[in-house]
């Protein structure tokens, strides 16, 4: 699970907007904004890809990939998990402009 990777750049953003933030660390802003952007976009794309792949493996008789057919119960749980992943990452993507605004304007 890569969700823990959110903690570093997102914590950075939260710390960055406080008066206690050290001025000398502003040089790392582009790195943190880039990592936050990559993590959230990857998480969003991974969730969508996973949903499509799971649907193909279970519903397409001509599918010949590495994922095996699963039970309906497992498929429903996995689809729900991936839907949550897409939703959380989609919401996190809303913070990308904020992160880059902090990086550019300071």
């Amino acid at each position: 699970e890569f969700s823990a990777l959110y903690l570093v750049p997102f914590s950075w953003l939260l710390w960055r907007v406080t008066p206690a933030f050290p001025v000398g660390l502003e040089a790392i802003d582009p790195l943190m904004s880039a990592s936050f952007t990559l993590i959230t976009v990857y998480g969003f794309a991974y969730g969508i890809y996973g949903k499509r792949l799971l649907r193909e493996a279970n519903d397409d008789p001509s599918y010949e990939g590495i994922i095996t057919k699963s039970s309906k119960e497992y498929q429903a749980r996995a689809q729900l998990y991936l839907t949550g992943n897409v939703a959380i990452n989609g919401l996190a993507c809303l913070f990308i402009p904020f992160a880059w605004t902090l990086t550019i304007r300071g």
Side-chain angles (χ1 to χ4, degrees), residues 2-104:
F2 66 92
S3 297
L5 291 176
Y6 282 122
L7 295 178
V8 174
F10 197 70
S11 297
W12 179 270
L13 289 174
L14 292 176
W15 184 35
R16 177 71 174 82
V17 296
T18 65
F21 186 80
V23 177
L25 292 178
E26 288 179 357
I28 305 173
D29 282 351
L31 175 65
M32 290 310 218
S33 293
S35 64
F36 183 72
T37 301
L38 291 174
I39 291 167
T40 54
V41 170
Y42 172 78
F44 186 77
Y46 179 80
I48 290 175
Y49 172 72
K51 287 176 71 67
R52 184 184 62 79
L53 192 60
L54 187 62
R55 193 171 23 255
E56 276 183 22
N58 286 292
D59 298 337
D60 186 3
S62 64
Y63 176 76
E64 296 181 14
I66 58 171
I67 294 180
T68 59
K69 192 171 181 119
S70 57
S71 69
K72 290 292 182 189
E73 180 183 314
Y74 177 81
Q75 183 180 5
R77 283 186 293 159
Q79 287 287 357
L80 183 61
Y81 169 77
L82 290 168
T83 299
N85 197 356
V86 168
I88 287 171
N89 284 290
L91 290 173
C93 283
L94 296 174
F95 286 94
I96 292 173
F98 174 69
W100 284 103
T101 300
L102 275 177
T103 298
I104 294 167

